[in-house]
Amino acid sequence: MTPSAEAILELRQVSARYGRAQVLRDVDLTVRRGETVALLGPNGAGKTTLLRSAAGLTTTSGGSVRLRATDVSRRRPHQRARAGLCLVPEGRGVFPSLTVAENLRLQRGRGEALDLVYDAFPVLAERRDQRAGLMSGGQQQMLALARCFTAEPAVVLLDEVSMGLAPLIVDEIFAALKKLAASGVALLLVEQYVSKALEMADRVYVLDRGRVSWTGRPDETSEADLMRRYLAVQV
């Protein structure tokens, strides 16, 4: 299939397995330039595996991954990162014994990129000399998310970045993600807060048992409808 000229990330007929367990089955998914796409589904649907497959951390058993219209299916994770893909996995992902400033330097953050980080997360500027491991979980997550700004990516893949955080911190993180999206960076968002994902998203994919069961715009559905019809949860 000829890739779309405006597509930043494309998965075409992607399949993946862990041992004998088939996790992804012929998944088609596209994230276009400057677009926010929400990837929703029940636990065990394959959402994290899809993100890892796109980033090159999970070996696919079929299909192709394209980044900026280039087939990167055989490229290693660091090569995909250099080509503009940034993955923020579940968990904090910081060096706890290093200061905030040292963590940011390891992310290649300097100059204008650091200004963007401190604008999005002012608390990191206030605590730049503090060891990351002594900060709260929410502040550590903000530091992990800083790579979305320092890496200057074309597309960011976010895996449950609000997991385990207080609602006020979640609001701060989503405000920062909205700034990132407004700057033209494409986002692929796996998120437990369905209402927040729908509020941000231009399009939605629902994954169920490794297959895309529905895709469309947020205004074509509702949170209750998704939870009932596509996520198999009674509300």
Side-chain angles (χ1 to χ4, degrees):
M1 181 179 293
T2 302
S4 168
E6 63 179 347
I8 293 296
L9 176 67
E10 291 184 291
L11 278 64
R12 291 290 173 255
Q13 296 290 293
V14 167
S15 296
R17 62 173 61 244
Y18 293 122
R20 295 183 178 180
Q22 188 78 33
V23 181
L24 297 179
R25 297 172 173 83
D26 302 323
V27 171
D28 287 335
L29 181 145
T30 301
V31 183
R32 301 184 179 95
R33 188 181 308 277
E35 182 180 46
T36 297
V37 173
L39 178 63
L40 307 176
N43 291 337
K47 303 184 298 295
T48 294
T49 299
L50 187 150
L51 298 188
R52 288 177 56 86
S53 296
L57 296 172
T58 293
T59 302
T60 57
S61 56
S64 65
V65 177
R66 292 180 176 272
L67 186 60
R68 290 171 163 169
T70 299
D71 191 335
V72 297
S73 305
R74 296 187 178 183
R75 293 190 185 180
R76 299 178 64 83
H78 71 275
Q79 295 171 319
R80 301 187 196 195
R82 288 174 182 169
L85 187 149
C86 176
L87 171 66
V88 182
E90 184 180 339
R92 300 296 175 250
V94 301
F95 293 96
S97 64
L98 301 182
T99 67
V100 168
E102 289 167 340
N103 269 275
L104 291 173
R105 281 200 292 273
L106 286 176
Q107 296 177 9
R108 296 183 299 170
R110 56 186 180 274
E112 191 172 311
L114 286 182
D115 291 339
L116 294 174
V117 171
Y118 292 143
D119 178 64
F121 302 116
V123 69
L124 297 184
E126 297 169 7
R127 298 177 180 270
R128 68 184 72 190
D129 295 322
Q130 182 175 348
R131 287 186 181 181
L134 299 179
M135 298 196 302
S136 69
Q139 291 164 355
Q140 289 183 42
Q141 185 66 295
M142 292 176 187
L143 182 55
L145 283 166
R147 76 188 67 165
C148 300
F149 298 87
T150 59
E152 300 179 352
V155 58
V156 176
L157 282 53
L158 300 136
D159 193 3
E160 300 282 14
V161 295
S162 68
M163 181 70 73
L165 301 181
L168 287 177
I169 300 296
V170 173
D171 289 343
E172 288 186 52
I173 284 175
F174 269 85
L177 293 180
K178 288 176 181 178
K179 288 183 179 180
L180 185 64
S183 73
V185 176
L187 306 180
L188 178 57
L189 178 67
V190 171
E191 179 52 48
Q192 62 174 340
Y193 285 95
V194 175
S195 59
K196 289 188 174 295
L198 293 177
E199 179 186 341
M200 275 196 67
D202 299 296
R203 289 186 302 117
V204 178
Y205 286 83
V206 175
L207 203 62
D208 185 20
R209 288 172 289 186
R211 296 184 185 275
V212 174
S213 62
W214 184 84
T215 183
R217 300 188 310 272
D219 60 8
E220 296 174 329
T221 186
S222 67
E223 180 179 2
D225 193 35
L226 283 174
M227 296 291 282
R228 182 175 58 252
R229 294 177 55 192
Y230 304 113
L231 306 188
V233 175
Q234 296 298 319
V235 296

